[in-house]
């Protein structure tokens, strides 16, 4: 088999990259470890920055998002029985975010990719192994059924998430990995109940963090901070809703409509960055190169900027023979990645319970009180939440 760009992983990063390349007439093959149903069933965050929205429009997969996505121009922070609205649009010159689940977005991408003559998807590709990328002879070896196969390509995009094969194939001495694992997780519940508020609520409570989000006007997505030793089965629905309500001011807990969970799971929180993101002809993209805690919903939006930069660089190579952008990819992508790593870490640090010493909570309340009293403080949250701009000189 042969193609121009070999893509490992058919999650949002790999699918979106393949679409943008195809629209520039560049061919790719996606090797995905699982089948379509498995990839689409994963429930992840659902807040899209303008950069991601623009990218989906450019990839010509935005029709349903443009119709069904919920435009949010503010978020609410609650702490110490206070609730404060951060006016995202008013503080950023009219910017907003769009609430649209990653599950839906992945479905839209597959609908387009599987009809696209420039893209071939190999599902159930096992034991994918990128080789030769350091000496200009990149190949992807993989197994389908009982057959070991080889895909020759010009470049490899590692879009295979945190546990993928691409980062693992890099010689250890060429890569530095920065990591922080947080001492808690998020227990998430999806339910067919109306959201308690028309915007997202991030709550700092002395019992721990809580978040009320949504997927639509009739589907709620909520989270509470839990210990790392806890299991979803420790949390029957009534216990979850009771704890969530306890962590919210009365005006929200009184209005909460509860219902049976249609999904319930615990996710750990991690900050992780690999440097660099390019190794010869192999590029790391999205979760393969970095992870952020979900506070602030930056994970998918960082994948968007990586995909934007890499697709721009590959188009410049195939259409104009330029390699300058491919050489700059890692440095330019990492700048925005570190900015989001910092914001997600900071928002986590002022909203979660880290230990049992009550002074920590008091200091968090003082910081939130200060931020809310200051236009500069509110603006710093709003600017980062709607998303920092992509590098304008990367063209
Ligand atoms: N071989 C082939 N495919 C693989 C391999 C492998 N060795 N390992 C993982 N994959 C596939 C997974 O099955 C998955 O479909 O790669 C895909 C990676 O998808 P994601 O983990 O969703 O990562 P990405 O596409 O970068 O999406 C951006 O940012 O913060 C998150 O929620 C956000 O999932 C989103 C991500
Ligand atoms: C979600 O809707 O799943 C969500 C929203 C905002 C976050 C994290 C997750 O910060």
């Amino acid at each position: 088999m042969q193609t121009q760009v070999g893509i490992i992983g058919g999650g949002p990063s790999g699918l979106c990259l393949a679409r943008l390349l195809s629209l520039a007439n560049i061919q790719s093959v996606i090797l995905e470890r699982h089948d379509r149903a498995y990839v689409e069933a994963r429930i992840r965050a659902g807040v899209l920055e303008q950069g991601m929205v623009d990218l989906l429009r450019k990839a010509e997969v935005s029709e349903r998002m443009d119709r069904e996505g919920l435009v949010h121009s503010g978020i609410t922070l609650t702490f110490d029985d206070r609730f404060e609205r951060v006016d995202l649009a008013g503080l950023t010159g009219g910017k907003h975010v769009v609430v649209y689940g990653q599950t839906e977005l992945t479905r839209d991408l597959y609908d387009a990719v599987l009809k696209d003559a420039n893209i071939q998807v190999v599902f159930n590709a096992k034991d994918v192994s990128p080789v030769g990328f350091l000496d200009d002879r990149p190949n992807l070896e993989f197994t389908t059924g009982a057959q070991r196969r080889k895909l020759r390509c010009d470049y490899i995009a590692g879009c295979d998430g945190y546990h993928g094969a691409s980062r693992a194939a890099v010689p250890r001495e060429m890569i530095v990995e920065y990591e922080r694992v947080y001492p808690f997780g998020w227990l998430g519940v999806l339910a067919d109940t109306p959201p308690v508020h028309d915007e997202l609520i991030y709550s700092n409570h002395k019992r721990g963090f809580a978040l009320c989000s949504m997927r639509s006007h009739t589907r709620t997505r909520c989270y509470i901070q839990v210990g790392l030793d806890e299991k979803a089965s420790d949390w029957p629905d009534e216990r979850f809703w009771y704890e969530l309500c306890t962590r919210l001011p009365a005006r929200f807990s009184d209005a909460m409509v509860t219902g049976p969970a249609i999904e319930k799971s615990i996710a750990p929180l991690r900050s992780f960055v690999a440097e660099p993101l390019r190794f010869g002809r192999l590029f790391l993209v999205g979760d393969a190169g970095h992870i952020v805690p979900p506070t602030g919903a930056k994970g998918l939006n960082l994948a968007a900027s990586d995909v934007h930069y890499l697709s721009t660089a590959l188009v410049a190579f195939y259409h104009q023979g330029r390699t300058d952008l491919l050489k700059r990819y890692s440095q330019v992508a990492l700048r925005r990645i570190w900015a989001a790593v910092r914001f997600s870490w900071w928002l986590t640090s002022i909203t979660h319970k880290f230990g049992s010493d009550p002074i920590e909570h008091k200091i968090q309340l003082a910081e939130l009180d200060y931020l809310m009293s200051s236009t500069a403080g509110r603006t710093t949250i709003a600017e980062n939440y709607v998303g920092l701009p992509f590098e304008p000189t990367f063209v």
Side-chain angles (χ1 to χ4, degrees):
M1 278 172 91
Q2 184 147 8
T3 192
Q4 289 175 300
V5 181
I7 299 176
I8 316 176
S13 298
L15 296 167
C16 204
L17 177 66
R19 269 301 283 175
L20 292 168
L21 294 178
S22 167
L23 292 166
N25 233 352
I26 299 166
Q27 285 166 8
S28 64
V29 173
I30 299 175
L31 302 180
E32 166 55 48
R33 180 161 51 184
H34 296 287
D35 59 18
R36 176 178 177 173
Y38 178 96
V39 178
E40 285 186 359
R42 282 183 304 211
I43 299 188
R44 301 272 178 86
V47 177
L48 312 184
E49 297 173 358
Q50 191 62 46
M52 181 77 194
V53 169
D54 291 344
L55 205 68
L56 294 170
R57 289 188 183 143
K58 191 172 169 200
E60 297 180 6
V61 291
S62 67
E63 199 200 330
R64 199 156 65 98
M65 174 199 69
D66 284 327
R67 209 173 48 239
E68 295 176 13
L70 307 174
V71 173
H72 282 207
S73 51
I75 54 170
T76 293
L77 301 182
T78 77
F79 54 99
D80 209 14
D81 261 335
R82 279 169 63 179
F83 66 93
E84 297 279 351
R85 179 170 192 266
V86 177
D87 179 3
L88 300 175
L91 292 158
T92 61
K95 296 199 177 125
H96 54 253
V97 292
V98 173
V99 173
Y100 188 67
Q102 187 177 316
T103 313
E104 305 308 316
L105 189 152
T106 307
R107 190 176 305 154
D108 299 342
L109 280 162
Y110 268 117
D111 283 345
V113 159
L114 294 176
K115 283 196 286 229
D116 192 320
N118 286 326
I119 307 170
Q120 188 186 340
V121 186
V122 180
F123 288 109
N124 299 309
K126 306 294 180 198
D127 299 322
V128 176
S129 173
V131 291
F133 51 87
L134 293 175
D135 20 78
D136 284 337
R137 280 192 326 240
N139 279 302
L140 287 169
E141 296 172 359
F142 62 101
T143 303
T144 46
Q147 203 189 352
R148 193 73 182 153
R149 299 169 73 183
K150 188 182 264 196
L151 170 67
R152 273 197 298 277
C153 50
D154 304 328
Y155 290 100
I156 299 173
C159 303
D160 47 354
Y162 180 66
H163 298 288
S166 53
R167 199 179 67 252
V170 174
R172 288 299 87 190
E173 67 278 10
M174 295 183 74
I175 193 166
V176 182
E177 297 181 346
Y178 300 88
E179 182 169 44
R180 166 160 305 174
V181 178
Y182 296 81
F184 40 73
W186 277 19
L187 168 64
V189 159
L190 190 68
D192 277 328
T193 55
V196 69
H197 186 48
D198 52 8
E199 294 179 341
L200 271 60
I201 306 168
Y202 290 82
S203 175
N204 172 318
H205 189 271
K206 59 179 184 301
R207 291 172 66 87
F209 171 80
L211 167 62
C212 298
S213 180
M214 66 193 73
R215 290 291 174 269
S216 69
H217 294 303
T218 55
R219 184 167 280 190
T220 294
R221 178 73 170 159
C222 293
Y223 301 88
I224 55 172
Q225 175 188 350
V226 295
L228 280 179
D229 52 342
E230 302 199 57
K231 299 187 291 296
S233 56
D234 299 333
W235 289 88
D237 294 352
E238 309 76 65
R239 182 177 176 212
F240 174 83
W241 292 114
Y242 179 82
E243 186 61 34
L244 176 68
C245 287
T246 308
R247 298 183 188 186
L248 297 172
R251 63 179 273 148
F252 295 123
S253 55
D254 289 351
M256 184 73 71
V257 180
T258 65
I262 48 179
E263 197 268 350
K264 190 186 288 167
S265 55
I266 296 183
L269 271 69
R270 181 194 307 274
S271 299
F272 172 88
V273 183
E275 283 192 352
L277 296 173
R278 176 194 172 186
F279 307 89
R281 286 175 177 256
L282 168 69
F283 295 84
L284 301 182
V285 181
D287 277 16
H290 43 81
I291 297 284
V292 289
T295 333
K298 292 288 163 238
L300 183 59
N301 294 300
L302 277 187
S305 50
D306 291 1
V307 168
H308 163 72
Y309 294 134
L310 187 56
S311 59
T312 304
L314 287 167
V315 172
F317 170 75
Y318 284 108
H319 289 194
Q320 300 170 284
R322 286 169 54 195
T323 55
D324 57 318
L325 296 184
L326 289 169
K327 290 188 184 127
R328 282 175 67 203
Y329 167 76
S330 178
Q331 192 202 349
V332 170
L334 280 165
R335 181 165 179 229
R336 194 166 185 280
I337 291 161
W338 277 112
V341 168
R342 183 208 70 81
F343 177 65
S344 314
W345 157 82
W346 175 71
L347 198 57
T348 304
S349 74
I350 60 171
T351 51
H352 288 64
K353 180 175 176 169
F354 280 76
S356 51
D357 189 338
I359 195 172
E360 280 181 6
H361 185 59
K362 285 289 190 184
I363 289 172
Q364 288 177 337
L365 295 181
E367 182 161 4
L368 286 161
D369 184 35
Y370 160 68
L371 289 165
M372 293 302 104
S373 72
S374 147
T375 305
R378 286 173 179 269
T379 307
T380 200
I381 294 176
E383 271 177 1
N384 283 277
Y385 198 88
V386 299
L388 298 175
F390 293 1
E391 173 58 50
T393 67
F394 201 85
V395 282

